[in-house]
Amino acid sequence: MTQLADRLSDLAGSGQMISFESVGLPETVVHSEVAEVASGPYAPLLAEAIAHAFDHDDRAWDQAAAQFSTGFAQQLSVLHLTSALETLLGSTNTAKALAKPLNGALLTGLDAAVQSVPLLAAARLEGAVRLAVSKVVSPIRVWGILEDLDAHSPEDFLERLPRILGLALDCWSQDEQLITETVRGLLAELAADEASDVDAFVELGCDQLRSALSAQSLDKVSEHITTARAWFNAAEAAEEARHDAQAYAAVCDAILAFTAGDATAVGAAAAHLEAALQLRNAGHWGMHQPAWLQPQLAAEVAWGRLVLRLHRAAALLKENVWMEPWQALDDVLSAYSAARTVRPLGSRDGDGLVLLVEPALEDSFLRRQALLATLRRAASAPEQHPGPGFDHATAAVLVANIDRRMASATAQGGREGQTPARDGAAEGVPSENDVERAHRFAPTTVRKLGIDFTSTIAHNISDEHLVAIDGLTYTEDLARLRNSDPVIVPLLNQFMTELSAFPDFIGETRRTFSLLVEQTLLFLKATADLDTATAFGEGRYDTNNKKIRIRDYRRRYNKADGDAVPVENDLQQHFFQWLLTGQLGALVQVEAINQAIGRADVLVSFGPLQYLTEIKKNHTSSDRAYLEGKYLAQAAEYSNTNVPFGQLLVLDLTEKTKAGSLRVDELAWVTSHRPPDASVDRAVVAGIVTGNRFTPSDFS
């Protein structure tokens, strides 16, 4: 042990303040030993001495501090590195003085560290991101690192990566479009990895919530809120659920319920939020919370305050008579202004929640003339308000907005005091108001079935019925998350996001093709898991030839020993039987004729909407690019006379080794094909079924 380390240990053991003065060693000794100590277990204590020097403007030790980063680059302990960083970055003067050399120490050789010491690499990357977002160093270098990150890195690194990326999005989401899109793409990949999926769900949900707060249009804020809720629900449904995901899901529930005028649902969401925060606080009781996570905790408090205000306002607006109308008015105005003042999660000024919360409150005043009269009196004569602190500015804005809406309704022939009528559109054709109502009262239905479909429904039904339909849609969506597993759910969510990029993936097409894709992914998982008896049972025969029993085409075979070589029909029959016995059983056909002047391997028909799954086998290669080049055009060809969506399943019969098999989420993807001179992309969901495979016992 060096003299410096020995003295630091003594000071810590005796409870004395740690500084270079209390160390009591000559400067030459300290200077010569700083780098070595910084690379070892006493780095956190040395960091205290350095922070003390900078905080007290003791420049005599600048040279010693400069040597710290050189040794710190060789630090191999995650605990010592993170503890030292907490001390250094907790001091503003120290962070500014050592920012550049520290940044170099953390990022130099990071690529190699990811592979050799992944936990340490994650801690170093976290420190570098914290330096960059605090603006004490240029973020360019850390951006380059983030852009080069690989979602196939070691599991220990991936487990910590989502929260680091979330920190980056917190700070750069509205400033640097290029890097934020890279970070979002990487988070989407991490959402499909079992090691990082739950944390990635939460960070993607927070990103959507952040986008909702700064959105400038009703359709965008509605879309972001519902998408955020879907991500949080996925995280809450996972085996290792996070309590903050439950809290944020409750926040989304409360906002959407308030928008729909459902006071009961707002109350349930508020109770859910309170329970989630209690569990979260209990789980963190007595635990150290890094300083850089404090803004997130503050955000949860801010959200909780907003939900309580909405809960109180919703309960009041549900009443027809108020014993204390002035107090009721104050509570409602508090909720009205909260949507403009609550800015958690690094959001900036924007319309955001205002577009959802304010119209809901305005509708309530329009329906309750007694409270509206109280509001008008308070706005025109604030001196008559009996209590202190009346929010006259908010009251004036609210009155002006209500008057504007009433004037607009009158001009359009609507009834005074109601949501503007659906005039100005042809009979049966949705108006702009129907589109707005769809986004406000049925956002989940819009997200799943498209705005055209939902606004057409909205044109013919009341707000209450629209809310009821959205409740059914959300319940169905939630049931899928609760009942599905941690591999299929994130993969299906990823596919839905990718398929949403295709213009035709809306309405009934989105709903029906999503059902088929979900069943296909479950099939891929079943083929990877189930043994022969469970997968095929007894008495399973070929549909076209009852004398041919379906064999287990997945197991290894030896042609030299006379084993039958699996053929496409084996996979075709298995997939057909799988669909036949599931929820799509009445809709599936095999070898259907008159499809692209040929036969369809497996065809699923939802009325006029048809989706064909092309079945192939391949002995040559399981590479995605190779399989697409060989079979994609054929799979896409069958969608030329219907909606441009189909599937491709390939039985991989290549020779296997005992190095292991690919995961289910590595064997399926979304791709597309556009023939020469065509103007429409044909979307294809592709999947590989691994055949000629070893069983786990073969690896021993």
Side-chain angles (χ1 to χ4, degrees), residues 286-627:
M287 295 179 63
H288 170 68
Q289 292 296 311
W292 69 279
L293 289 179
Q294 295 305 313
Q296 291 188 4
L297 299 178
E300 292 175 23
V301 172
W303 279 117
R305 190 181 303 116
L306 173 63
V307 170
L308 289 177
R309 287 175 174 173
L310 296 181
H311 178 31
R312 175 64 176 161
L316 288 168
L317 292 173
K318 190 177 180 180
E319 303 294 331
N320 293 318
V321 177
W322 300 272
M323 300 304 293
E324 298 181 0
W326 290 106
Q327 180 61 46
L329 180 62
D330 285 345
D331 288 334
V332 174
L333 290 177
S334 176
Y336 194 81
S337 62
R340 292 185 179 274
T341 57
V342 174
R343 300 291 178 196
L345 292 172
S347 63
R348 307 293 176 79
D349 289 341
D351 292 331
L353 298 186
V354 170
L355 298 172
L356 287 175
V357 173
E358 288 190 356
L361 278 165
E362 292 160 9
D363 288 348
S364 298
F365 276 96
L366 288 168
R367 289 192 294 267
R368 293 165 174 79
Q369 293 299 308
L371 192 60
L372 179 57
T374 303
L375 173 66
R376 290 190 184 281
R377 180 178 178 184
S380 61
E383 69 279 357
Q384 297 183 20
H385 187 283
F390 174 60
D391 190 351
H392 180 263
T394 298
V397 170
L398 181 52
V399 168
N401 287 344
I402 290 174
D403 287 343
R404 185 176 61 253
R405 292 184 62 176
M406 293 176 67
S408 175
T410 301
Q412 296 179 19
R415 297 187 303 276
E416 183 176 352
Q418 300 294 321
T419 300
R422 297 190 293 270
D423 292 347
E427 184 66 27
V429 178
S431 67
E432 290 184 7
N433 186 53
D434 295 321
V435 173
E436 178 183 337
R437 292 172 60 240
H439 285 301
R440 285 181 56 200
F441 299 116
T444 305
T445 308
V446 170
R447 185 174 65 86
K448 294 196 68 177
L449 302 179
I451 185 57
D452 292 341
F453 180 85
T454 311
S455 59
T456 299
I457 293 177
H459 184 78
N460 300 305
I461 63 176
S462 66
D463 294 347
E464 291 75 14
H465 290 160
L466 198 56
V467 170
I469 288 176
D470 199 58
L472 294 174
T473 306
Y474 176 57
T475 301
E476 184 274 332
D477 203 31
L478 199 60
R480 176 178 62 80
L481 289 171
R482 295 289 186 267
N483 297 327
S484 297
D485 59 70
V487 174
I488 300 304
V489 168
L491 190 58
L492 183 59
N493 284 337
Q494 174 189 336
F495 281 16
M496 293 304 99
T497 301
E498 294 175 4
L499 288 168
S500 297
F502 295 89
D504 293 308
F505 192 64
I506 57 174
E508 192 69 5
T509 300
R510 180 188 180 99
R511 186 183 71 82
T512 54
F513 191 58
S514 298
L515 292 175
L516 175 59
V517 172
E518 182 178 37
Q519 289 300 306
T520 301
L521 293 179
L522 290 170
F523 171 76
L524 291 175
K525 182 181 180 182
T527 60
D529 268 343
L530 302 182
D531 61 20
T532 301
T534 307
F536 300 101
E538 298 295 332
R540 292 293 180 87
Y541 292 89
D542 188 305
T543 304
N544 297 321
N545 188 340
K546 300 300 182 182
K547 295 182 179 181
I548 301 177
R549 184 185 298 275
I550 297 177
R551 62 182 178 274
D552 193 341
Y553 57 89
R554 304 166 302 169
R555 293 186 176 274
R556 289 188 64 75
Y557 66 90
N558 190 331
K559 191 174 182 180
D561 293 341
D563 294 341
V565 179
V567 295
E568 293 172 4
N569 185 255
D570 294 323
L571 176 57
Q572 180 186 24
Q573 288 298 316
H574 192 195
F575 184 55
F576 173 64
Q577 292 290 340
W578 172 271
L579 295 178
L580 199 62
T581 56
Q583 60 178 313
L584 306 182
L587 309 175
V588 62
Q589 304 174 61
V590 67
E591 292 291 342
I593 62 172
N594 297 324
Q595 300 294 320
I597 64 174
R599 291 177 179 269
D601 286 347
V602 178
L603 184 69
V604 178
S605 302
F606 297 86
L609 300 178
Q610 295 184 331
Y611 308 107
L612 180 129
T613 302
E614 178 67 15
I615 310 292
K616 293 294 182 183
K617 69 176 177 68
N618 190 275
H619 297 79
T620 308
S621 171
S622 59
D623 178 71
R624 289 187 182 185
Y626 172 82
L627 296 177

Side-chain angles (χ1 to χ4, degrees), residues 126-139 142-143 146 164-172 292:
E126 177 186 301
V129 171
R130 289 177 61 187
L131 281 171
V133 300
S134 64
K135 302 186 185 303
V136 293
V137 295
S138 169
V142 78
W143 287 352
L146 293 177
I164 298 173
L165 298 178
L167 173 63
L169 286 177
D170 271 349
C171 300
W172 296 321
W292 69 279

